[in-house]
Amino acid sequence: QVQLVESGGGLVQPGGSLRLSCAVSGSIFLINSWGWYRQAPGKERELVATITRTGSTNIADSVKGRCTISRDNAKKTGYLQMNSLKPEDTAVYYCNVILGNGMNYWGKGTLVTVSS
């Protein structure tokens, strides 16, 4: 059974930084892509960033220049570094992986609150 566990969320002041982590466990042969999504209260889930197995990234315009996505394949861990955080970045952040067999998995999310 594949499980994703996010960590690193919390309360941060505007302008601050956070690094989210996503640890994947279970029987996994290949991870084709990692993704971070977020859902703010009353809004739909939206893409934040993705990175493929080959390192190609896709970053949402709303966070471009402030967020970096990376992964450590050996550790089966993905990361989202977020800088210059704004109140509008407040949301539950979800990790997503797509495996080599096409299966799609989600974590339960970690809450990021940006407030003074």
Side-chain angles (χ1 to χ4, degrees), residues 36 47-52 55-61 63-64 69:
W36 288 94
L47 168 74
V48 178
T50 60
I51 184 168
T52 68
S56 297
T57 61
N58 180 31
I59 311 294
D61 288 342
V63 301
K64 196 165 290 183
I69 186 170

Side-chain angles (χ1 to χ4, degrees), residues 6-19:
E6 301 98 336
S7 61
L11 174 64
V12 62
Q13 292 187 343
S17 297
L18 283 176
R19 188 195 195 202

Side-chain angles (χ1 to χ4, degrees), residues 24 35 56 115:
V24 179
S56 297
S115 175

Side-chain angles (χ1 to χ4, degrees), residues 18 20 34-40 44-51 56-70 79-83 85 88-96 106 110 112:
L18 283 176
L20 306 184
W34 296 79
W36 288 94
Y37 295 76
R38 67 186 182 185
Q39 188 167 16
E44 294 186 353
R45 190 174 298 190
E46 63 176 5
L47 168 74
V48 178
T50 60
I51 184 168
S56 297
T57 61
N58 180 31
I59 311 294
D61 288 342
S62 59
V63 301
K64 196 165 290 183
R66 301 189 294 119
C67 287
T68 303
I69 186 170
S70 61
Y79 305 97
L80 183 70
Q81 177 69 43
M82 302 190 294
N83 302 320
L85 283 162
E88 51 263 44
D89 294 319
T90 295
V92 178
Y93 284 71
Y94 297 91
C95 178
N96 169 266
W106 292 89
T110 184
V112 172

